[in-house]
Amino acid sequence: MKRIIKYTGGLLLGATLFSGCSKFEEVNTDPQLVTEDQVQVEYFINNSLIGAQQDPHIAERIFVLYWKTAGRQQFGGGISSGGYNDGWSSDYYGGGYLGGWLNAINSGVQVAEKQIADGNIKPYSNNLLQISRIWRAYLMSELTDNFGPIPINAFQGVNPEFSDVKTVYYFMLEELKDASAKLDLEAAKPETKFDQAYGFDYAKWQKYANSMRLRLAMRLSEADPAKAKAEFEAAAALPLLTADGETFQVAEMPNSWNSLTGVMTREWNSFMLSATMNNLVKGLGGVKTADQVPAAMHANIKPADYVGLKFQDHFTMMTNDPTAGYWLDGLPNAIDPRAYKAYIIPGDFNNPEFNGYPSWDNTAETTVRNLVDAAGAVVKTLDAKYTWNAPVNGDWGVKGSKNQVRAYTGTIPRHANKFRNSTNKRIFFAPWETYFLLAEAAVRNWTVPMSGQEAYEAGIDASFAYWGVSSFASTYKASTDYNNAGTSVSWAHTVEPPATHTMKFTDGYTNTPGTVEIKYPVNNLYKNGTVRNDLLTKIITQKFIAQTPWLPLETWSDHRRLGLPFFENPAIENPLVNMPDLTAANYMTSNKRFFPQRLKYPSSLPASNAAGYAQAVGFLGGPDEVLTPLWWAKQP
């Protein structure tokens, strides 16, 4: 009897990682069943591509509460302070990957290989196999960058063996290399609707594979530099994803609840500006706020040497955020022009990109809030309309209970409406990333097709074009102004900032003016804290800003790999239970143990595959904990 696959509603259902059933086991004849010879590989591709967009249930837990928080693209607690939720990870690991996206695309690879071996081929069969391998490599990279060791040969009907992260990376790099080389760019196409990303444009898939190879090779830059260099240089000589029309992205579906619903649509998620992003964009690039906002806001713009109102009894001071304790009662004098596009100014209700979520109350449009004393009496009333602030995450203790302004929906800049209403396209890889990878390679003296400055500035240009702010690009790229972290934009400007800079402030309780020496932060994770403005810091700063809001896993991975850009420590007004190494004695320093490094495996893994779990933890090189670094992550 021919082996049979069940096909229902466009989903090809196979065995999960934990199942002992073979994907192609024989079953009784059924009108809904199709044979391996009949099934179309493009169905598997379509299923996997759509599923990996993450439905709202999984997206909120993984993309939002894990990635965007760990990657510092939003204010948030949980994983940023070492926390973890087994249910979230179980949904992602089991239902998403093993029972869904990775399972589906692995089925596509297996079916394509068998059909080709049996001579049951179409003009595009080979290309569908290669596309399946390319997409599978991406999904594997996502899984291993979250958890660490994973199986390479899963979905074979038995519990698989796990491989160490190095082996997984070598496998993915080889897959991308081989699949890219075997694509026939002139071959016929199947129905383009089954490829939500590229419509089976083979040249674009090839460029995506080559640029993905750059990403994965660079991930090994600290742990395995020889392999990283060899793989990167080989891929850099091939066609790369460098044009806007080549962006790997998938359109969202408005007014829906399915895998194409936007990943940032849940109304109760606020997506507030993070202190990390705030420190990177404030003052960066020399573009004046007055040239970016309506005239009605100009009176709220503050001088460049003004840090804000000081509220030491209501804002945490126990963090190495350089402006801890201050509330900016207006708008910064200059700021990266992408900031006002990605995050909307509080009180800017006439802006069509202002987001009013949650729709069942008016918290988004409430900008007046109080600071109170221990008894609840009002100490100070603040109006956050046309202000720009970002709270540090962590434990604010008593100060947090007395502060009704920080982390309140209407008082902090939040993501623009176009990222909240499922009318956008989710980006998986964009041209700016290719350019910033090439720029980093050039700084490392690897052989690449353009100079570091050319690649760096091309990356900025590509990002500015995406945001529609290209008119500011020339001014921006020439700027020698430092941001809060002590980094400037100009490639030629590598002068280090002074240890401190003098700023004016006003005592928020007495209205008394004063001056203060604000320290540029010491990032001990990078060159022992001695460097803030070298070329690599500039590149990763620009890459972080450009990757926001679509690629938080990458911003998290860059920080794990390099310690860049500067991430401020969580506040510790009270000790953090899940981050015990961060204390009142060392919170002004940076340490690997102060930032999440991975996701713990879900409890379902040791329960269903005890031997595989033991292998995984053995390869991990440390306990199955959030703070255990992955193999490719730079050690302190």
Side-chain angles (χ1 to χ4, degrees), residues 557-573:
S557 292
D558 275 337
H559 189 264
R560 289 182 286 173
R561 174 173 66 97
L562 296 168
L564 291 173
F566 171 72
F567 281 15
E568 76 290 340
N569 291 331
I572 54 162
E573 296 292 336

Side-chain angles (χ1 to χ4, degrees), residues 2 76 132 205 294 333 421 452:
K2 283 220 177 242
S132 298
W205 271 104
N333 190 265
N421 58 14

Side-chain angles (χ1 to χ4, degrees), residues 16 106 218 250 273 281 284 291 331 510 563 569 574 582 603 635:
T16 68
N106 199 71
M218 189 58 76
V250 175
L273 176 70
V281 297
L284 187 69
D291 296 329
L331 298 173
T510 65
N569 291 331
N574 292 317
L582 177 59
S603 58
Q635 301 301 307

Side-chain angles (χ1 to χ4, degrees), residues 360-428:
W360 50 83
D361 62 30
N362 66 345
T363 53
E365 299 184 8
T366 303
T367 60
V368 179
R369 299 287 290 171
N370 296 321
L371 305 180
V372 300
D373 63 19
V378 175
V379 173
K380 186 82 173 185
T381 297
L382 295 176
D383 189 351
K385 184 176 183 179
Y386 304 159
T387 63
W388 190 266
N389 292 276
V392 174
N393 55 28
D395 192 320
W396 283 47
V398 174
K399 292 182 178 181
S401 65
K402 297 190 299 182
N403 188 327
Q404 299 174 357
V405 181
R406 67 116 192 177
Y408 186 77
T409 305
T411 62
I412 306 296
R414 300 185 305 140
H415 270 329
N417 196 49
K418 61 187 173 185
F419 302 118
R420 308 299 311 278
N421 58 14
S422 291
T423 60
N424 218 305
K425 294 181 179 180
R426 181 182 167 192
I427 293 175
F428 284 77

Side-chain angles (χ1 to χ4, degrees), residues 578-593:
N578 295 315
M579 200 167 279
D581 293 286
L582 177 59
T583 70
N586 62 15
Y587 69 84
M588 290 301 292
T589 65
S590 299
N591 187 288
K592 202 81 170 177
R593 299 284 295 175

Side-chain angles (χ1 to χ4, degrees), residues 137-285:
Y138 166 74
L139 291 178
M140 290 181 68
S141 76
E142 191 177 291
L143 195 63
T144 188
D145 288 348
N146 276 282
F147 294 100
I150 62 171
I152 289 177
N153 297 314
F155 312 105
Q156 304 296 321
V158 296
N159 279 334
E161 294 189 356
F162 278 67
S163 296
D164 61 84
V165 175
K166 179 178 180 179
T167 300
V168 174
Y169 259 80
Y170 276 41
F171 174 80
M172 295 186 298
L173 287 166
E174 183 60 31
E175 281 287 280
L176 291 171
K177 172 186 175 181
D178 191 62
S180 171
K182 289 179 177 176
L183 279 170
D184 178 0
L185 304 189
E186 304 301 321
K189 299 179 182 179
E191 290 186 75
T192 58
K193 68 180 182 180
F194 292 116
D195 177 2
Q196 299 285 320
Y198 284 144
F200 294 113
D201 185 322
Y202 302 135
K204 290 179 181 178
W205 271 104
Q206 186 179 67
K207 290 179 179 180
Y208 169 65
N210 297 335
S211 282
M212 265 296 297
R213 195 172 160 203
L214 297 185
R215 176 193 284 179
L216 300 187
M218 189 58 76
R219 194 89 81 232
L220 309 187
S221 62
E222 307 303 311
D224 195 350
K227 178 67 170 179
K229 180 176 184 291
E231 290 285 346
F232 196 101
E233 290 181 340
L238 302 171
L240 299 172
L241 192 164
T242 57
D244 178 61
E246 297 165 352
T247 300
F248 194 108
Q249 57 189 350
V250 175
E252 298 171 338
M253 180 182 294
N255 303 315
S256 65
W257 178 288
N258 56 46
S259 294
L260 292 176
T261 304
V263 289
M264 292 178 273
T265 54
R266 298 308 90 196
E267 292 197 25
W268 47 85
N269 298 141
S270 294
F271 296 99
M272 296 178 186
L273 176 70
S274 70
T276 298
M277 176 63 97
N278 194 38
N279 286 324
L280 296 182
V281 297
K282 279 180 67 175
L284 187 69

Side-chain angles (χ1 to χ4, degrees), residues 48 128 210 333 495 516 519 526:
S48 182
L128 294 189
N210 297 335
N333 190 265
V495 177
V516 61
K519 294 181 179 180
Y526 183 67

